[in-house]
Amino acid sequence: MRIAALSDFHLGVTSQRDGFRHPLDDFARVLDRLEATHETIVLLGDIYQTDHGLVPSRARARRHLERARERIGVLAERLDSPPYVYVFGNHDEVAGEVLGAKEQVSLRAHGVGVFMIHGHQFDPVARRARLAADLGTWSTGRLRAVGMRPLAQWLEDRDIEVKDRRFRGQRGPYVVAGRDLARTHDASVVVMGHTHVASITETPEGMVVNTGSCSRGRFEYVSIDTAARTVALYRGNDRVVHALSP
């Protein structure tokens, strides 16, 4: 089985208020290639940006999800059907109740177990300072809404860089959580998104992989071939392949 995982599109209610930055036709052609080469494609969270409302609420998040889906039209319908499997993240959690998105997914073929979860559940800032994290998201959403997207993007980039320096590596919270998930779910590969930083970390329990991001015009994803026992990380035209342990 070949499984692709990609995450963090951040599709919003308008093209000026989201972080996607792909022409929809170009993105559709990339999906054509993935569909031709993979049996299952997991959308690993933050596909939609539903929490940039002026007054945050569950009802507003549902409305933002609806408007974002209306804006992208055929692409939304495409992502609702096989071979796509939708796992929600922290910015599109409402998709769980509206679209039936899952919190996690486990797949197994050729003796290779693959466990996937968005990963915000292990973000120390979101866990210990939820109010501050939500305020940061609200603030960048307001900046985008009033036409200050470059500033919002700069702030988001700094946040990604700082968190990556603090939380990366074998002792970082994501790899530690990934190792525990590999043991708990008997998985050879644990895949997350959330951080926007693509990576593969080999551990005694299995590989802990991050998809990177498909926002800002980038196309980063993970491809797992259970028969060949390989995990490949794609970042644009670059590819890094790791072999799974026997």
Side-chain angles (χ1 to χ4, degrees):
M1 176 187 288
R2 295 198 68 191
I3 306 162
L6 55 166
S7 72
D8 295 274
F9 297 7
H10 293 277
L11 286 154
V13 295
T14 70
S15 61
Q16 296 302 312
R17 290 175 62 181
D18 70 13
F20 187 55
R21 312 303 297 156
H22 290 272
L24 294 181
D25 289 345
D26 291 351
F27 197 74
R29 283 190 286 271
V30 177
L31 295 181
D32 288 341
R33 295 198 296 270
L34 282 187
E35 291 175 14
T37 53
H38 294 80
E39 286 84 7
T40 301
I41 302 173
V42 180
L43 305 172
L44 204 51
D46 287 357
I47 303 305
Y48 299 100
Q49 186 80 47
T50 70
D51 52 358
H52 275 177
L54 178 60
V55 180
S57 68
R58 202 72 173 176
R60 184 62 61 90
R62 287 194 294 269
R63 178 57 181 154
H64 275 215
L65 176 62
E66 178 184 345
R67 289 177 60 191
R69 287 169 55 79
E70 288 173 352
R71 180 171 74 81
I72 63 171
V74 173
L75 177 59
E77 295 177 7
R78 180 177 190 170
L79 299 179
D80 286 345
S81 305
Y84 295 95
V85 177
Y86 189 176
V87 174
F88 64 77
N90 52 309
H91 294 298
D92 60 356
E93 185 179 1
V94 70
E97 65 182 66
V98 176
L99 301 176
K102 305 173 184 296
E103 183 176 8
Q104 60 194 41
V105 63
S106 293
L107 302 167
R108 182 172 296 275
H110 304 103
V112 176
V114 181
F115 182 83
M116 299 188 181
I117 190 168
H118 180 65
H120 64 284
Q121 298 89 341
F122 316 112
D123 184 333
V125 176
R127 292 175 66 181
R128 300 171 189 166
R130 176 68 183 268
L131 183 60
D134 289 347
L135 180 60
T137 294
W138 181 86
S139 299
T140 55
R142 289 299 88 211
L143 289 172
R144 290 179 183 276
V146 299
M148 300 180 69
R149 185 173 65 194
L151 177 56
Q153 184 165 313
W154 184 87
L155 290 170
E156 290 166 350
D157 287 343
R158 300 294 79 74
D159 180 62
I160 291 167
E161 290 174 6
V162 170
K163 286 182 176 179
D164 182 48
R165 286 198 302 269
R166 290 182 60 191
F167 302 141
R168 73 168 65 174
Q170 292 279 354
R171 297 186 178 182
Y174 301 107
V175 173
V176 170
R179 295 179 69 175
D180 183 57
L181 291 169
R183 288 190 294 265
T184 302
H185 297 275
D186 188 26
S188 305
V189 187
V190 174
V191 187
M192 303 182 197
H194 184 62
T195 69
H196 290 222
V197 180
S199 64
I200 295 180
T201 304
E202 297 192 31
T203 78
E205 291 78 11
M207 285 190 189
V208 180
V209 186
N210 193 286
T211 60
S213 170
C214 288
S215 63
R216 312 280 175 80
R218 294 177 294 174
F219 196 80
E220 300 175 336
Y221 69 98
V222 173
S223 176
I224 302 165
D225 189 326
T226 60
R229 302 186 65 85
T230 58
V231 178
L233 184 62
Y234 289 81
R235 287 177 283 194
N237 294 321
D238 296 331
R239 183 181 72 155
V240 177
V241 181
H242 287 238
L244 291 169
S245 301

